[in-house]
């Protein structure tokens, strides 16, 4: 479903953030990308969406990542940003959900109906008419996920979905993620979240793929994790 | 709460206020824009000594504010920094135009004083009606209204994104000011020596966030023009009010009783 082939990326005049990165993600897979801060997790997600000028090739659903395919790719790949404030730019939550739908040709009435359905599904229908600047961090994160889900993506990329959330909101996010029956790629260093949501995990360090395997194999390998500036998940200590 | 945070909340409150349900809120934004433009046009068309004629125009904001259920005292409070600028505009007139045109009792009043008052009144009236437009229509509604009268999409999108950027800029400014103040107890404002790096950081952070926002928009299909929705369509009611207002304005301006 997503295939990275020898992908490298560097900001002008800086060292490579991604280097010779290759990976295949199958349809329906729940993949976690783990690594310490600055390992290149967010860069991998952004590269799938054509936001970075990469070297190498990426294929999504058989479509090569290039300018002419961008619109189609971005319609099928939803991206939940690390900072929800950057995702919510319309005055109200419902406006934000409708924004993408209308841009992709849905009528206003259909978009509104669809948006309300998604909010209902996530249990946040009461936020529809709320102004974005008045939302709490947890509400904002749920609303940000809703803006992406409204577009009915086939693949969902999430960047640190549990960052800055209290335990209750974190649990809510985990339950929501588990209820979604689509391909998910989660970049995080919250290893307990990985245990709860994913089947496969890749570990990266300085833009290179270090390990790729089942969650239970990688997250129990203390030596591997510590060599890459991570620790065993709390629940396994 | 620092002043920047307050400013950000005021912007938020203005957006909320624009969602009211008064008679004026229900009028189509395009009609409101038209009413405001006509009012400003007619108000500024008064002669420089026509103070008595201009006084009648005060009726319009008074009536509109009542129907809009917008607090006039709040308007005065919000415009407290702009109003002095309007007053300053006319201050030079009494020095240039000293010819006495009117006597109140034995006191002669020069043309400069009258024209100063006319200028100030014109400025304030235009300001009050513009505020009413902002308080009863969201920025999106105004952009849609402008698109309806064929103002280029580039221009309306620019207005909308600038508005968003200002909010974002204020957010960043608020966070940075708070962080600064926490490590500079007893200091008032930002120390002069720190202005350069503070401003540089602020611009970098704001641009960074603006870039993230832009990416987020692009990922959801944004291609250069914001799709507007939630627009209040023309209703007979809106058109009727607009025509009635137009007739009244023309009547007050051009018919002498």
């Amino acid at each position: 479903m997503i295939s990275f082939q020898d992908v490298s990326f560097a900001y002008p005049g800086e060292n490579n953030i991604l280097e010779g990165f290759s990976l295949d993600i199958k349809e329906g897979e729940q993949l976690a990308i783990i690594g310490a801060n600055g390992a290149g997790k967010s860069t991998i997600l952004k590269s799938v969406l054509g936001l970075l000028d990469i070297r190498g090739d990426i294929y999504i659903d058989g479509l090569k990542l290039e300018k002419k395919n961008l619109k189609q790719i971005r319609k099928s790949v939803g991206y939940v940003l690390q900072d929800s404030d950057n995702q919510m730019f319309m005055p109200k939550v419902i406006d934000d959900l409708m924004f993408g739908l209308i841009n992709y040709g849905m009528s206003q009435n259909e978009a509104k109906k669809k948006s309300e359905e998604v909010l209902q599904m996530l249990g946040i229908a009461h936020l529809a008419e709320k102004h974005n600047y008045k939302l709490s961090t947890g509400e904002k994160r749920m609303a940000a996920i809703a803006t992406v889900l409204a577009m009915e993506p086939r693949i969902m990329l999430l960047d640190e979905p549990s960052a800055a959330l209290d335990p209750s909101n974190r649990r809510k996010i985990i339950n929501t993620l588990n209820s979604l029956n689509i391909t998910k790629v989660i970049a995080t260093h919250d290893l307990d979240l990985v245990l709860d949501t994913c089947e496969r995990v890749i570990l990266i360090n300085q833009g290179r793929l270090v390990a790729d395997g089942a969650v239970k194999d990688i997250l129990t390998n203390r030596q591997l994790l510590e060599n890459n500036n991570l620790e065993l998940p709390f629940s396994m200590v | 709460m620092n002043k920047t945070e307050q400013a950000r909340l005021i912007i938020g409150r203005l957006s909320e206020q624009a969602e009211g349900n008064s008679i004026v809120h229900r009028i189509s934004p395009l009609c409101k824009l038209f009413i405001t433009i006509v009012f400003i046009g007619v108000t500024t068309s008064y002669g420089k000594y026509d103070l008595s004629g201009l006084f009648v125009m005060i009726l319009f904001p008074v009536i509109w504010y009542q129907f809009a259920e917008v607090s006039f005292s709040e308007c005065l409070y919000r415009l407290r920094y702009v109003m002095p600028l309007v007053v300053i505009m006319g201050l030079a007139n009494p020095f240039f135009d000293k010819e006495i045109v009117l006597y109140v009792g034995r006191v002669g009043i020069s043309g400069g004083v009258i024209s100063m008052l006319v200028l100030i009144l014109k400025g304030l009236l235009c300001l009050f009606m513009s505020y009413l437009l902002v308080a009863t229509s969201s920025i999106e509604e105004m952009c849609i209204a402008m698109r309806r009268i064929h103002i280029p999409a580039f221009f309306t999108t620019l207005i909308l994104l600038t508005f968003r950027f200002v909010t974002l800029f204020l957010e960043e400014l608020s966070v940075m000011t708070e962080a600064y103040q926490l490590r500079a107890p007893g200091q008032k404002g930002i120390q002069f020596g720190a202005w350069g790096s503070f401003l540089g950081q602020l611009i970098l952070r704001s641009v960074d966030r603006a870039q993230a926002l832009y990416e987020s928009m692009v990922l959801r299909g944004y291609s250069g023009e914001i799709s507007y929705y939630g627009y209040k369509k023309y209703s007979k009611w809106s058109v009727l009010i607009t025509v009635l207002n137009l007739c009244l304005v023309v009547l007050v301006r051009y018919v002498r009783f």
Side-chain angles (χ1 to χ4, degrees):
Chain A
M1 184 154 215
I2 306 178
S3 174
F4 294 80
Q5 294 176 5
D6 198 22
V7 174
S8 297
F9 172 75
Y11 287 105
E14 290 182 22
N15 292 335
N16 274 354
I17 296 177
L18 275 185
E19 208 168 318
F21 182 78
S22 297
L23 179 76
D24 284 307
I25 303 170
K26 294 189 193 79
E27 183 156 12
E29 208 163 29
Q30 324 288 308
L31 174 84
I33 304 174
I34 61 168
N37 289 335
K41 305 186 292 287
S42 303
T43 308
I44 293 173
L45 298 189
K46 281 188 169 189
S47 65
V48 178
L49 297 152
L51 293 172
L52 304 174
D53 203 4
I54 54 157
R55 293 190 305 278
D57 295 319
I58 299 177
Y59 292 87
I60 296 124
D61 264 343
L63 283 175
K64 187 175 178 183
L65 184 69
E66 52 191 355
K67 203 171 178 187
K68 65 174 184 181
N69 295 330
L70 268 185
K71 195 171 180 187
Q72 207 179 334
I73 287 173
R74 286 173 176 173
K75 191 176 184 316
S76 63
V77 183
Y79 179 40
V80 180
L81 277 74
Q82 183 171 354
D83 185 350
S84 306
D85 277 326
N86 295 338
Q87 188 127 17
M88 311 291 290
F89 46 79
M90 297 297 278
K92 287 187 286 184
V93 172
I94 190 90
D95 297 335
D96 246 308
L97 268 82
M98 289 167 67
F99 177 85
L101 297 174
I102 288 175
N103 279 334
Y104 277 104
M106 208 179 252
S107 75
Q108 193 183 313
N109 287 341
E110 283 172 332
K112 188 157 194 213
K113 196 170 164 230
K114 176 80 197 154
S115 304
E116 283 166 352
E117 277 171 17
V118 172
L119 290 171
Q120 191 79 45
M121 182 185 92
L122 294 180
I124 49 170
H126 59 286
L127 298 182
E129 294 298 326
K130 216 166 168 181
H131 279 254
N132 283 332
Y133 80 101
K134 282 190 165 173
L135 299 179
S136 70
T137 311
E139 287 174 335
K140 227 178 261 179
R141 189 62 50 85
M142 287 300 283
I145 291 177
T147 62
V148 171
L149 282 180
M151 312 262 300
E152 294 185 338
R154 298 187 57 220
I155 305 163
M156 199 158 165
L157 313 177
L158 299 108
D159 197 352
E160 299 287 4
S162 62
L165 292 183
D166 62 35
S168 145
N169 279 312
R170 187 175 166 280
R171 180 50 52 193
K172 218 183 263 179
I173 296 282
I174 290 172
N175 293 341
T176 304
L177 292 179
N178 285 336
S179 68
L180 301 173
N181 197 20
I182 54 175
T183 310
K184 290 184 289 266
V185 182
I186 303 173
T188 183
H189 46 224
D190 178 351
L191 302 187
D192 287 286
L193 173 110
V194 175
L195 279 172
D196 281 341
T197 54
C198 299
E199 306 143 355
R200 180 184 168 197
V201 61
I202 61 164
L203 171 62
I204 56 167
N205 193 355
Q206 295 186 333
R208 288 172 184 276
L209 185 62
V210 177
D212 178 355
V215 168
K216 61 176 175 9
D217 296 332
I218 290 182
L219 296 193
T220 50
N221 189 336
R222 181 190 289 265
Q223 194 62 44
L224 176 70
L225 293 174
E226 286 181 358
N227 285 346
N228 291 283
N229 300 321
L230 294 171
E231 290 177 345
L232 283 176
F234 285 122
S235 52
M236 289 198 161
V237 177
Chain B
M1 192 189 300
N2 61 42
K3 283 186 178 170
T4 340
E5 180 67 7
Q6 277 174 14
R8 197 176 70 82
L9 289 177
I10 287 172
I11 292 181
R13 264 201 27 85
L14 267 178
S15 302
E16 278 182 71
Q17 199 171 32
E19 284 165 24
N21 197 29
S22 73
I23 296 169
V24 183
H25 284 89
R26 289 200 296 268
I27 296 175
S28 146
L30 182 55
C31 292
K32 277 188 274 188
L33 187 66
F34 183 71
I35 287 169
T36 311
I37 290 172
V38 166
F39 180 84
I40 291 174
V42 170
T43 304
T44 50
S45 76
Y46 273 89
K48 66 176 183 175
Y49 300 132
D50 198 357
L51 189 59
S52 57
L54 194 58
F55 258 115
V56 190
M57 292 300 280
I58 294 175
L59 277 174
F60 287 93
V62 168
I63 294 169
W64 277 114
Y65 271 71
Q66 285 302 313
F67 281 125
E69 294 164 22
V70 171
S71 156
F72 190 67
S73 56
E74 197 174 318
C75 160
L76 290 178
Y77 180 73
R78 298 242 189 278
L79 298 176
R80 66 193 183 282
Y81 297 121
V82 190
M83 283 192 293
L85 298 177
V86 174
V87 174
I88 287 168
M89 272 196 324
L91 279 184
N93 286 22
F95 300 104
F96 294 114
D97 183 358
K98 293 178 178 167
E99 194 184 332
I100 303 295
V101 293
L102 178 76
Y103 281 92
V104 179
R106 285 180 161 195
V107 183
I109 295 177
S110 71
V113 172
I114 302 285
S115 63
M116 177 188 75
L117 292 175
V118 167
L119 210 57
I120 291 173
L121 192 57
K122 277 181 185 178
L124 291 178
L125 287 175
C126 294
L127 214 55
F128 294 151
M129 281 304 272
S130 306
Y131 178 84
L132 187 74
L133 177 67
V134 173
T136 56
S137 329
S138 66
I139 186 86
E140 288 79 14
E141 286 179 331
M142 281 190 277
C143 286
I144 304 169
M146 284 190 270
R147 286 293 291 132
R148 290 280 164 110
I149 51 173
H150 300 288
I151 288 176
F154 165 76
F155 190 68
T156 54
T157 303
L158 192 70
I159 292 176
L160 198 60
L161 292 183
T162 306
F163 179 77
R164 301 258 160 81
F165 187 74
V166 167
T167 320
L168 203 135
F169 187 81
L170 285 174
E171 263 176 46
E172 290 301 323
L173 182 61
S174 165
V175 170
M176 283 182 65
T177 311
E178 217 161 71
Y180 181 92
Q181 282 168 350
L182 287 172
R183 282 177 290 154
Q187 259 185 41
K188 219 175 175 188
I190 313 287
Q191 219 176 23
F192 183 68
W195 280 15
S197 55
F198 191 88
L199 192 66
Q201 280 298 316
L202 178 64
I203 291 172
L204 284 175
R205 285 169 62 123
S206 307
V207 168
D208 220 32
R209 279 204 59 193
Q211 176 68 24
L213 263 179
Y214 174 72
E215 283 176 1
S216 174
M217 289 168 77
V218 163
L219 293 178
R220 281 189 273 154
Y222 171 72
S223 56
E225 186 181 359
I226 306 264
S227 308
Y228 301 104
Y229 42 88
Y231 183 68
K232 295 174 186 115
K233 293 198 176 99
Y234 297 103
S235 59
K236 284 179 187 164
W237 164 251
S238 294
V239 177
L240 185 72
I241 294 275
T242 311
V243 172
L244 194 67
N245 182 79
L246 183 66
C247 293
L248 277 173
V249 167
V250 170
L251 197 73
V252 165
R253 173 69 181 92
Y254 296 104
V255 180
R256 295 284 168 180
F257 299 100

